Amino acid sequence: MKRILLIVTKLELGGAQQIVLSTAKALVKKGFEVEIATTPGILMDEALSIAGCRIRIIPHMERTPSPLKDVMAFLELLSLMRIRRYHLVHTHGSKAGILGRLAAWVYRVPVIIHTYHGFSFHGYQPWYERWLYIALERIAAGVSTKLIAVSEATMRKGIAYGIGDPSKYIVIRGGTRISDFIRAYLSVDRRKKRMELGLSPDRPVVCMVACFKPQKSPLDFLEMAHIVSSEVPEAQFLMVGDGVLRPAIERRARELGLEDKLFLAGWRWDVPQIMASIDVLVLTSLWEGLPLVIPQAMACGKPVVATRVDGSEEAVIDGETGFLVRPRDVEGAAKAVIRLLQDSELARRMGEKG
């Protein structure tokens, strides 16, 4: 039986992690022996529930760069591959992608695949840090059999920076179970769900669903909310997710006087029902691969306001299914949200178009 190892940095709620789990389920059904190497997160129970899939914990594999822990994680992956002798290794995420592919190369795994859900380098880093990540990505791509990009923009970016042979690339956009969101849109009791979240059932809701990390720029969502609330004082703002920036979010919300209008829901399992209960989805990311929350919001008939980055441009038709603004353009995002809240017919048309 062919043995496959999927590697992802952490099993938190996110598009990459959801794709890893759905891939594992599909491969098990096809008769493969499947294992997932990761560090524990909120999706750990779901991973453990996949019959026939074994979970391998890599204790020192963390998203934050740490030379000592990274070396230890690499050694842990080497040890796992030496014992198990996999036929195929498929990595997801920058840290898991670099360490996992190099470990697989050392033990001559026949097929090494990586999915780019976005890149670890971006224009908000010091130049030396950015080029270090580019160099590491080039090395890892050199030992890869196939490179999967979740958007055309991601593929173009990788090729432009000399990361891997262009012939190795293929675009496979991230999948989500759209039927769950359509079903929620058709059946959810919006008033009940809003009250369950602590929201007023009769006031408009602007929502962001994302991990609270620098990539998603959640503090920009707060700045946008502050501007919107001055024009649409009845607006409520819901943030679904959690992460390292939560203390900063809570502090800035107090400074802006948003405590009574901002609701932090934490990680939730009822995202389809929440998405069906909001009015506008906002995503303030600084960079992306292809955020799954955009098609999820569209499946619930919600207009989207997102930053004009990478795969988001491929998911949102500006002016038709939502609005695109420049990263960090909180005034532009606020203007778009205000327009949607004040023009319910426009919001409805955009949601239906999505």
Side-chain angles (χ1 to χ4, degrees), residues 85-290:
R85 295 293 179 179
Y86 299 99
H87 298 92
L88 183 150
V89 167
H90 186 178
T91 59
H92 297 258
S94 298
K95 177 68 69 71
I98 292 170
L99 299 180
R101 282 180 286 169
L102 293 179
W105 174 75
V106 168
Y107 277 101
R108 298 182 180 180
V109 174
V111 180
I112 303 172
I113 301 174
H114 178 67
T115 293
Y116 293 113
H117 300 272
F119 286 101
S120 54
F121 58 89
H122 49 82
Y124 302 92
Q125 297 166 310
W127 67 268
Y128 53 85
E129 183 178 335
R130 182 166 65 254
W131 283 101
L132 171 61
Y133 284 127
I134 291 171
L136 292 172
E137 290 286 6
R138 286 174 175 172
I139 292 169
V143 304
S144 303
T145 309
K146 202 73 176 175
L147 303 171
I148 300 172
V150 296
S151 67
E152 295 282 351
T154 302
M155 180 179 70
R156 289 195 300 269
K157 186 174 183 179
I159 293 172
Y161 279 94
I163 298 171
D165 187 323
S167 66
K168 290 184 178 181
Y169 277 89
I170 184 172
V171 174
I172 304 177
R173 291 182 170 84
T176 188
R177 195 182 297 277
I178 293 296
S179 59
D180 291 347
F181 292 84
I182 295 175
R183 191 179 305 114
Y185 168 71
L186 295 173
S187 64
V188 72
D189 184 331
R190 285 165 49 99
R191 292 179 60 86
K192 182 177 179 181
K193 178 55 67 173
R194 288 185 176 193
M195 288 189 290
E196 177 189 320
L197 293 164
L199 298 162
S200 169
D202 302 313
R203 293 162 54 194
V205 179
V206 180
C207 179
M208 180 172 175
V209 181
C211 181
F212 296 170
K213 58 184 179 181
Q215 174 198 352
K216 303 296 184 177
S217 199
L219 292 173
D220 286 348
F221 179 85
L222 293 187
E223 302 299 330
M224 177 275 302
H226 180 58
I227 298 171
V228 172
S229 63
S230 65
E231 292 290 328
V232 188
E234 68 273 20
Q236 307 171 94
F237 304 93
L238 174 66
M239 300 183 76
V240 179
D242 213 328
V244 295
L245 291 179
R246 184 176 184 121
I249 291 170
E250 294 173 339
R251 182 170 60 251
R252 186 57 179 156
R254 289 193 297 270
E255 293 171 354
L256 294 173
L258 291 172
E259 304 103 306
D260 296 335
K261 296 184 177 182
L262 179 69
F263 299 82
L264 302 180
W267 295 119
R268 302 282 301 202
W269 295 103
D270 55 347
V271 171
Q273 291 73 30
I274 291 175
M275 202 76 84
S277 303
I278 66 172
D279 293 289
V280 180
L281 179 81
V282 176
L283 195 61
T284 54
S285 303
L286 301 179
W287 68 93
E288 277 291 354
L290 179 63

